[in-house]
């Protein structure tokens, strides 16, 4: 059995409890059958860290993008994104999207413009997008439709079925994180039942959103296993079935 963590922030992990290095984190993940990782960029100031990991370790891939709540770093142009996406280790554009939880919709024109630039860079480069949306589902889908977003994933999905369906209609994948293990996530688990198997991905978003049974501790890529385990329970299939399906989907979206 092989599992892929399709969204993590390896350069943000605290290695203190894991030998102080990334190798120990990779070894720990392997113990739970997690063998590949997409290390997601959230600002250009730390892109070199993300790229370094992907260059050094063949099981790690990289993305390039600026998170929607980043207000202090460089705001990338389409040309900058395309230039950085040229590295062979970079397999995606993002993390990008909209977030009205942290920033008010009324003053977020710059955020929407940034999102549009990322979509255009994705379309031009042919590399899929990693989309973040929080308290902004209507505008997120609207901009995706207006810009004719071609391919990618709704990362750490926590919205309703209607939003999932609109994203699926655009050809996007839906990725579930440790949130589906939370007691409060009953409605999200209902959504997880309905997503077509060929559009399903799993992730940790580590070091954030730690799943049960480790809720309260720092999240780790190894804990993708518990997302797979919960999805299997929700959908009434084996853990191996979800692992195989999501690994195949990751390769189809990002590596073909």
């Amino acid at each position: 059995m092989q599992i892929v963590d399709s969204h993590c922030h390896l350069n943000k992990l605290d290695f203190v409890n894991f030998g102080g290095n990334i190798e120990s984190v990779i070894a720990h993940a392997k113990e739970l059958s997690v063998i590949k990782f997409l290390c997601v960029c959230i600002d250009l100031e730390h892109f070199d860290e993300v790229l370094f990991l992907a260059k050094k370790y063949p099981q790690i891939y990289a993305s390039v993008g600026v998170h929607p709540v980043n207000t202090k770093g460089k705001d990338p142009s389409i040309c900058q994104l395309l230039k950085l996406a040229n590295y062979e280790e970079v397999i995606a554009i993002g993390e990008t999207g909209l977030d009205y939880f942290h920033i008010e919709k009324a003053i977020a024109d710059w955020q929407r413009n940034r999102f549009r630039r990322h979509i255009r860079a994705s379309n031009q480069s042919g590399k899929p997008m990693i989309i973040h949306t929080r308290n902004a589902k209507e505008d997120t889908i609207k901009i995706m439709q207006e810009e004719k977003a071609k391919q990618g994933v709704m990362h750490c999905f926590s919205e309703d079925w209607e939003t999932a369906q609109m994203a699926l209609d655009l050809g996007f994948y839906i990725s579930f994180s440790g949130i589906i293990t939370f007691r409060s996530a009953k409605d999200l688990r209902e959504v997880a039942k309905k997503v077509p198997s060929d559009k399903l991905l799993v992730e940790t978003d580590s070091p954030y959103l730690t799943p049960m049974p480790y809720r309260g501790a720092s999240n780790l890529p190894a804990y993708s296993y518990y997302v797979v385990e919960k999805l299997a329970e929700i959908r009434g299939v084996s853990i191996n079935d979800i692992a195989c399906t999501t690994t195949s989907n990751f390769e189809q979206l990002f590596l073909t």
Side-chain angles (χ1 to χ4, degrees), residues 25 39 56 119 127 135 142 158 170 193 202 250:
V25 171
C39 185
K56 186 171 182 179
I119 295 175
K127 296 190 176 183
N135 288 19
K142 179 183 177 183
S158 59
L170 290 170
K193 287 182 182 178
V202 294
F250 178 87

Side-chain angles (χ1 to χ4, degrees), residues 90-154:
V90 174
I91 63 172
I93 302 293
E95 175 175 355
T96 182
L98 300 177
D99 191 317
Y100 298 157
F101 180 82
H102 295 284
I103 297 168
E104 292 182 27
K105 176 179 179 179
I107 59 171
D109 280 344
W110 63 269
Q111 197 181 77
R112 291 182 282 272
N113 289 334
R114 176 188 289 174
F115 185 27
R116 291 181 187 277
R117 291 197 298 275
H118 279 76
I119 295 175
R120 293 170 190 175
S122 170
N123 287 348
Q124 290 180 42
S125 68
K127 296 190 176 183
M129 303 181 66
I130 301 168
I131 295 182
H132 168 110
T133 182
R134 188 173 185 188
N135 288 19
K137 60 185 181 182
E138 293 87 358
D139 281 2
T140 299
I141 295 294
K142 179 183 177 183
I143 291 174
M144 290 168 66
Q145 292 170 336
E146 290 175 350
E147 295 292 335
K148 297 180 172 57
K150 294 179 181 178
Q151 58 178 335
V153 57
M154 307 300 287

Side-chain angles (χ1 to χ4, degrees), residues 23-34:
E23 287 87 355
S24 56
V25 171
I26 292 172
H28 175 243
K30 190 175 181 180
E31 291 174 4
L32 287 172
S33 302
V34 182

Side-chain angles (χ1 to χ4, degrees), residues 205-216:
D205 201 18
S206 56
Y208 318 107
L209 300 174
T210 311
M212 300 295 288
Y214 294 102
R215 187 114 170 89

